[in-house]
Amino acid sequence: MSKPEHSIKSESTEARAFARLEAAVAETMDRMNLLREELREAEVEGRRMKEFLDKFTGDNEDATSLTVRLQELESANRDLLERLSKGRAGVERLLARIRYLEEQA
């Protein structure tokens, strides 16, 4: 008689396991659907951000090349400011010589 009782317990255990499996699969499917929706939203946001960036770059430069170009321009600007400062100092020296020569005359 233990066989039918064992069979009932086995079926009951299998039914519970199957129910847990169904619940896990359903939860996984729900999570996958949520992730798909989040992915769609992220793709839309990415396109929106790219369009926004394109408005500022004037063409289809990507953010990395734009950053590199900005760094190059900043470096060139520092160089020009240094050269301008040296030029100004040279002009001031020439003006000082001119003043000296005018005073001597």
Side-chain angles (χ1 to χ4, degrees), residues 10-26:
S10 177
E11 288 176 15
S12 176
T13 303
E14 289 175 3
R16 283 193 307 263
F18 188 71
R20 283 195 314 267
L21 179 61
E22 282 184 322
V25 169

Side-chain angles (χ1 to χ4, degrees), residues 31-48:
R31 181 72 178 139
M32 286 179 60
N33 289 332
L34 179 66
L35 289 173
R36 281 188 184 111
E37 183 58 32
E38 289 177 4
L39 176 61
R40 279 191 284 276
E41 290 172 6
E43 288 172 339
V44 167
E45 182 66 17
R47 282 191 296 273
R48 214 175 312 145

Side-chain angles (χ1 to χ4, degrees), residues 14-91:
E14 289 175 3
R16 283 193 307 263
F18 188 71
R20 283 195 314 267
L21 179 61
E22 282 184 322
V25 169
E27 184 179 330
T28 301
M29 295 300 293
D30 289 344
R31 181 72 178 139
M32 286 179 60
N33 289 332
L34 179 66
L35 289 173
R36 281 188 184 111
E37 183 58 32
E38 289 177 4
L39 176 61
R40 279 191 284 276
E41 290 172 6
E43 288 172 339
V44 167
E45 182 66 17
R47 282 191 296 273
R48 214 175 312 145
M49 294 302 284
K50 184 179 182 324
E51 290 170 5
F52 184 72
L53 180 62
D54 288 347
K55 287 180 184 178
F56 287 101
T57 60
D59 57 16
N60 290 331
E61 285 184 282
D62 64 349
T64 303
S65 63
L66 188 60
T67 301
V68 168
R69 180 70 177 132
L70 177 63
Q71 290 170 345
E72 290 171 352
L73 291 172
E74 287 174 341
S75 176
N77 190 40
R78 283 190 298 274
D79 182 52
L80 290 173
L81 288 172
E82 184 180 326
R83 290 170 63 191
L84 184 60
S85 178
K86 288 179 182 178
R88 185 174 289 136
V91 169

